[in-house]
Amino acid sequence: MNDARIMRHLKRAMAAYDGGRLKTAEKEASAILVAHPNHPIALHVVARARFDAGRRDDGLRILARAIRAAPDRGELYNSLGNMRVMTGDRDGATQAYRDAVARDPGDAGGWCNLGAVLRSAAKLQEAAEALELSLRLAPGNPRATFQLGMVLHHAGRRDEGTAMLGRVDPGSPYGWAAANNAAIAFAAAGDRLQAIERLRRFAGANPDDPRPKHHIAALAREKVARAPQDYVSHYFDRFADSFDEVLERLDYRAPQVVVAEAVRLADARVLDRLVDLGCGTGLCGPGLRPLARTLLGVDLSQGMLDRAAPRGVYDRLERAELTEWLEHQPPGSLNMAVSADTLIYIGDIGAALAAACRALAPGGSLVATFEVMAEGAGRPEAGYAITDSGRFQHTLAYLGAEAERAGLSLARQAHETVRLEGGAPVQGHILTLTRPAG
């Protein structure tokens, strides 16, 4: 195969990969490998295509071939770092990014990647140095600016961090994260007006984005019963690609505690139908798979469902709002439902619990997490309150009363730290609500 044909295949492969057409990307790159089995760029495309399609071990194996074929190409190590991040191997990712910038010290993106992973490991001084170098190489880069702002904030240099976040272009992919984190910082310091102003600035640059409206309502302590559906789907569609990586930094435990309770309830039985409500990227799926003949996943975000699908553990994935989905199920058709950190986006929980009771078979259970309502938050008589994050906290008394009203009994409850937020533990109610067998 001559150079011109190789370039044609590579252009088509890269265009297909950028467009999300992974099979086409792999086909075009593989055509080169027939004649040139160690072509590093073609191997690189195939590796990324397979990794993104859920064949992660294949992707890593083929990328290793590319690195052996061209050990001095920094972009190969950057891709290795990205894959290591996605598989939860932070140490491996850190080394890969170090290898990338060692081979290409002028790569601003490589330094940004290194700074981001060092930030996730709380190595803040090293992270700041890498990100500052990235910004010297590419001044104003929104991702590096955002990451540096967060590093400064976590290092206790809050004013500098908030100022750095204010430099992020609100129209960039990092505009929302910068505006929202700056707003949270201002609110924590007691300056709600400045917090709302940051969000309004973002809204002005992004008038069709539903996120700032909901967060402004939360900061203004407006009476809000639940997060709007367009907010939830929009928020998580844009969060999907980095969801697992971010939650690893937050020591996210909700899926583990929910799965552990589901395993206890199943008691070595195989259930007919089990649903993961708000399944997200499928973090609960592997633990739930052995418990059910049919495992369903439901989420309002198509982006999250697209990340869950490659896990290959769900029999069916459906895009739907969970209350509406439950209401459309045949009565008594579910043996168990689980919900890890999904009902925290609903304040007035009555309709969701009533729909769950209707869909559960007698003796069936809902296992769900809720945030513990902080002392002095909201109106105690309401039983729930919206937080500055746009999520909701609930009192145990309110949840118990709403469950009873829906026809469910509180079979078991526990308190757990479900994640970190701003470095502080977030306490959760882990409830098992059962439809009586009689």
Side-chain angles (χ1 to χ4, degrees):
M1 184 181 293
N2 61 34
D3 289 348
R5 286 188 62 193
I6 289 173
M7 287 305 301
R8 284 197 297 272
H9 280 296
L10 281 178
K11 286 181 180 179
R12 290 196 290 261
M14 291 175 177
Y17 179 82
D18 290 341
R21 293 175 285 115
L22 302 180
K23 289 183 179 179
T24 301
E26 181 174 348
K27 180 181 177 181
E28 291 289 344
S30 294
I32 298 169
L33 297 175
V34 172
H36 304 278
N38 291 316
H39 194 287
I41 303 175
L43 286 168
H44 191 192
V45 173
V46 173
R48 288 188 295 166
R50 290 197 185 180
F51 187 92
D52 290 357
R55 299 164 64 185
R56 292 185 166 187
D57 289 344
D58 274 357
L60 285 164
R61 177 177 54 79
I62 293 168
L63 185 58
R65 280 180 56 194
I67 290 172
R68 287 195 297 271
D72 293 328
R73 295 187 73 101
E75 72 270 19
L76 301 179
Y77 296 90
N78 257 321
S79 286
L80 178 60
N82 296 340
M83 292 181 186
R84 293 298 187 198
V85 165
M86 293 301 297
T87 57
D89 181 4
R90 186 164 55 199
D91 290 342
T94 302
Q95 186 57 55
Y97 292 140
R98 290 191 193 281
D99 290 339
V101 296
R103 285 156 178 79
D104 187 359
D107 178 17
W111 286 108
C112 185
N113 287 338
L114 178 59
V117 77
L118 288 169
R119 173 196 159 208
S120 75
K123 296 178 179 179
L124 301 180
Q125 182 59 42
E126 285 186 88
E129 291 169 0
L131 293 163
E132 287 166 353
L133 180 51
S134 178
L135 285 169
R136 284 199 293 273
L137 293 165
N141 178 269
R143 180 178 178 232
T145 304
F146 167 72
Q147 290 286 348
L148 182 55
M150 294 304 295
V151 166
L152 294 171
H153 180 79
H154 291 311
R157 298 159 63 184
R158 298 184 186 279
D159 290 345
E160 293 175 75
T162 303
M164 183 64 67
L165 292 174
R167 298 178 192 172
V168 178
D169 178 0
S172 77
Y174 295 90
W176 168 251
N180 189 41
N181 278 283
I184 290 171
F186 278 121
D191 192 347
R192 291 184 175 276
L193 291 178
Q194 186 61 244
I196 290 170
E197 180 55 36
R198 280 295 176 98
L199 294 176
R200 284 178 174 158
R201 177 187 170 212
F202 175 84
N206 302 272
D208 297 326
D209 193 313
R211 291 174 292 184
K213 181 179 179 181
H214 177 61
H215 282 256
I216 288 170
L219 287 164
R221 292 294 188 258
E222 295 177 12
K223 190 175 180 179
V224 181
R226 63 173 298 153
Q229 290 189 32
D230 62 343
Y231 163 83
V232 174
S233 59
H234 190 98
Y235 180 90
F236 283 102
D237 279 349
R238 281 147 186 79
F239 191 10
D241 286 346
S242 61
F243 184 80
D244 293 2
E245 175 193 352
V246 170
L247 292 189
E248 182 193 355
R249 294 202 301 266
L250 302 180
D251 194 22
Y252 186 53
R253 299 191 64 250
Q256 293 97 307
V257 297
V258 164
V259 168
E261 176 62 3
V263 170
R264 187 193 70 83
L265 284 171
D267 193 24
R269 294 173 296 145
V270 178
L271 308 174
D272 284 334
R273 292 182 84 227
L274 190 160
V275 64
D276 185 357
L277 298 169
C279 64
T281 61
L283 293 176
C284 288
L288 298 174
R289 176 67 273 179
L291 308 184
R293 293 184 182 87
T294 300
L295 177 60
L296 309 171
V298 177
D299 204 280
L300 196 52
S301 164
Q302 187 59 52
M304 299 293 265
L305 293 172
D306 290 344
R307 301 293 296 185
R311 293 184 189 272
V313 296
Y314 296 94
D315 294 294
R316 190 165 71 250
L317 291 165
E318 298 185 37
R319 183 182 182 277
E321 192 278 326
L322 67 88
T323 304
E324 295 172 1
W325 186 88
L326 289 166
E327 289 172 343
H328 283 86
Q329 300 310 297
S333 61
L334 296 173
N335 302 104
M336 189 186 298
V338 303
S339 181
D341 271 10
T342 301
L343 298 178
I344 59 176
Y345 290 93
I346 302 175
D348 185 350
I349 203 69
L353 295 184
C357 183
R358 175 187 172 278
L360 286 168
S365 295
L366 166 67
V367 180
T369 63
F370 300 85
E371 285 190 21
V372 174
M373 187 164 160
E375 186 175 348
R379 295 177 296 115
E381 68 275 11
Y384 64 86
I386 193 167
T387 68
D388 292 344
S389 68
R391 297 186 290 270
F392 291 86
Q393 297 176 341
H394 298 83
T395 67
L396 183 59
Y398 169 79
L399 293 170
E402 289 298 316
E404 184 177 1
R405 188 175 291 114
L408 298 166
S409 63
L410 178 55
R412 184 181 173 94
Q413 69 93 9
H415 281 73
E416 295 267 1
T417 296
V418 291
R419 68 178 178 279
L420 301 176
E421 190 167 300
V426 174
Q427 296 300 311
H429 301 291
I430 295 85
L431 303 187
T432 300
L433 305 173
T434 300
R435 179 177 175 180

